[in-house]
């Protein structure tokens, strides 16, 4: 009498234990089948395509055993007219290895999230055409930044430097009426126009040798942001002085050695080095004393 109840319970337990196990196995099997299908589709597309492109992608995952050693993985992707590096990376991730990790969002050079080191130069992947590159196309994370995983770097230091120049409009002279505009002259708008194009991608900072050697250097992006507001006629003299104190500090504008690497890689064509030199001249002027 005493044995029958536990036996039934054990059977029931075994059944409930095995059900999720079975479901998991089925789900894994399904996943494997889907991955094999994707690979097959990729192979067929490569065969059908007139051409394919060869990517060499940097891989590193500190959290997975066996993947902690940095390495390069090869991917062959069917070429399509107008294909960008980002398109090729997405194809590789979607068809070959879903663990391939990289940032992207807008796909139209606006969000700044997919700046990477492509064939030895900092570029926005969504703006870089595959036809313009020599193969194999080598894709690496931005240099001089800590790699989190594969092509993803830690941007915190870059954001801290941007934050340190107070990258927002500040003025005491707010207009009277509730809906009054704070007007800016056409000439002034024209002057700061290029500086406003920054998308915070970090390509300039990553290309700068000075920033690589001096962790406290504000860097071209932050100085350009400060330029935008320093040159804005609506902020007033007090604020200009305050901004200049930030810019002329030990790790500010005077660190720049006019190497132009930031200007060369900027995907928005901002004349970064020129802006830094202009601020150096402003720094000299603000310290001149006339007796
Ligand atoms: Fe937004 Fe490239 S994905 S800039």
């Amino acid at each position: 009498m005493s044995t029958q109840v536990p036996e039934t319970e054990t059977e029931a337990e075994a059944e409930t234990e095995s059900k999720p196990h079975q479901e998991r196995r089925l789900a894994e099997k399904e996943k494997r089948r889907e991955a094999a299908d994707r690979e097959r589709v990729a192979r067929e597309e490569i065969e059908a395509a007139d051409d394919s492109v060869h990517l060499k992608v940097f891989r590193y995952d500190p959290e997975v055993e066996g993947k902690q050693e940095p390495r390069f993985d090869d991917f062959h992707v069917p070429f399509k007219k107008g294909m960008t590096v980002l398109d090729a990376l997405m194809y590789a991730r979607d068809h070959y290895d879903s663990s391939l990790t990289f940032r992207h969002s807008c796909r139209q050079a606006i969000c700044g999230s997919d700046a990477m080191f492509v064939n030895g130069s900092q570029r926005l992947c969504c703006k870089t055409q595959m036809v313009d590159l020599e193969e194999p196309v080598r894709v690496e994370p931005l240099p001089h930044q800590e790699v989190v995983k594969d092509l993803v770097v830690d941007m915190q230091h870059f954001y801290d430097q941007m934050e340190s120049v107070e990258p927002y409009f500040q003025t005491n002279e707010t207009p009277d009426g509730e809906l009054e505009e704070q007007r800016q002259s056409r000439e002034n708008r024209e002057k700061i126009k290029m500086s406003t194009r920054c998308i915070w991608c970090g390509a300039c900072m990553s290309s700068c040798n000075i920033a690589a050697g001096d962790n406290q250097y504000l860097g071209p992006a932050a100085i350009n942001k400060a330029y935008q507001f320093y040159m804005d006629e609506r902020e007033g003299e007090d604020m200009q002085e305050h901004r200049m104190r930030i810019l002329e500090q030990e790790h500010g504008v005077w660190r720049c050695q006019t190497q132009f690497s930031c200007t060369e890689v900027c995907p928005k064509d901002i004349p970064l080095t020129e802006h830094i030199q202009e601020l150096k001249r402003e720094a000299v002027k603000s310290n001149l004393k006339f007796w």
Side-chain angles (χ1 to χ4, degrees):
M1 177 190 119
S2 61
T3 52
Q4 277 208 346
V5 176
E7 246 176 41
T8 320
E9 276 178 359
T10 315
E11 272 166 26
E13 270 170 23
E15 204 176 309
T16 47
E17 260 173 25
S18 67
K19 216 166 179 192
H21 183 68
Q22 220 173 22
E23 278 169 7
R24 208 168 43 241
R25 268 190 29 217
L26 281 174
E28 275 165 12
K29 205 171 156 190
E30 182 64 11
K31 250 195 214 164
R32 279 201 300 276
R33 198 184 56 76
E34 282 173 10
D37 277 354
R38 280 198 301 270
E39 272 201 55
R40 185 181 46 75
V41 169
R43 263 198 310 277
E44 283 168 9
E45 282 182 0
I46 285 180
E47 277 161 24
D50 294 340
D51 212 350
S52 69
V53 285
H54 180 186
L55 292 179
K56 264 194 166 328
V57 183
F58 178 90
R59 307 299 306 272
Y60 165 71
D61 188 346
E63 284 175 6
V64 177
E65 219 175 295
K67 293 191 176 175
Q68 287 145 344
E69 274 301 309
R71 65 182 197 281
F72 280 88
D73 278 357
D74 292 274
F75 297 104
H76 293 269
V77 170
F79 176 75
K80 284 196 184 113
K81 196 171 169 223
M83 178 177 245
T84 63
V85 176
L86 181 61
D87 291 332
L89 283 174
M90 287 166 76
Y91 189 95
R93 179 197 61 195
D94 297 345
H95 292 82
Y96 298 125
D97 184 351
S98 57
S99 71
L100 176 60
T101 309
F102 50 93
R103 291 194 183 103
H104 67 92
S105 179
C106 69
R107 300 177 67 183
Q108 45 192 317
I110 289 172
C111 73
S113 60
D114 64 339
M116 291 172 218
F117 200 55
V118 181
N119 276 5
S121 185
Q122 286 81 358
R123 306 174 202 245
L124 277 188
C125 288
C126 64
K127 202 185 169 209
T128 308
Q129 290 286 318
M130 290 299 287
V131 280
D132 295 335
L133 300 167
E134 232 171 72
E135 283 186 55
V137 177
R138 218 174 141 93
V139 190
E140 296 166 77
L142 285 179
H144 307 135
Q145 328 261 13
E146 196 181 322
V147 179
V148 179
K149 188 185 169 195
D150 294 342
L151 301 165
V152 175
V153 294
D154 184 355
M155 297 289 283
Q156 194 51 52
H157 176 63
F158 174 77
Y159 295 142
D160 289 346
Q161 299 306 79
M162 293 298 268
E163 202 54 44
S164 71
V165 298
E166 303 176 15
Y168 35 84
F169 186 63
Q170 300 177 70
T171 182
N172 295 328
E173 292 165 21
T174 42
D176 296 337
E178 208 181 304
L179 295 172
E180 277 297 317
E181 290 170 4
Q182 196 127 22
R183 291 182 186 249
Q184 180 181 30
S185 67
R186 247 173 218 285
E187 297 72 40
N188 189 239
R189 170 64 204 170
E190 203 52 40
K191 180 167 185 55
I192 65 167
K193 187 173 80 182
M194 290 308 281
S195 64
T196 64
R197 298 181 68 180
C198 177
I199 52 172
W200 296 47
C201 67
C204 57
M205 186 82 153
S206 159
S207 77
C208 176
N209 286 337
I210 314 303
D214 174 6
N215 202 33
Q216 290 180 61
Y217 174 43
L218 290 175
I223 295 176
N224 173 69
K225 219 3 112 184
Y227 175 97
Q228 176 187 335
F229 295 105
Y230 181 87
M231 293 298 174
D232 192 315
E233 63 188 8
R234 297 166 296 175
E235 278 209 331
E237 275 179 27
D238 287 1
M239 205 50 217
Q240 255 195 342
E241 254 178 57
H242 172 65
R243 291 199 184 278
M244 188 43 79
R245 297 293 83 82
I246 299 173
L247 288 165
E248 64 173 3
Q249 44 122 336
E250 194 188 341
H251 302 279
V253 287
W254 298 109
R255 285 275 155 174
C256 170
Q257 291 181 7
T258 347
Q259 293 180 351
F260 284 93
S261 54
C262 53
T263 307
E264 262 169 38
V265 302
C266 177
K268 303 306 267 188
D269 300 322
I270 304 171
L272 294 158
T273 319
E274 241 174 70
H275 287 169
I276 301 174
Q277 303 323 302
E278 204 175 333
L279 287 171
K280 282 181 185 171
R281 289 194 288 275
E282 289 297 318
V284 173
K285 277 197 243 164
S286 75
N287 285 299
L288 281 181
K289 290 195 174 46
F290 298 100
W291 288 277

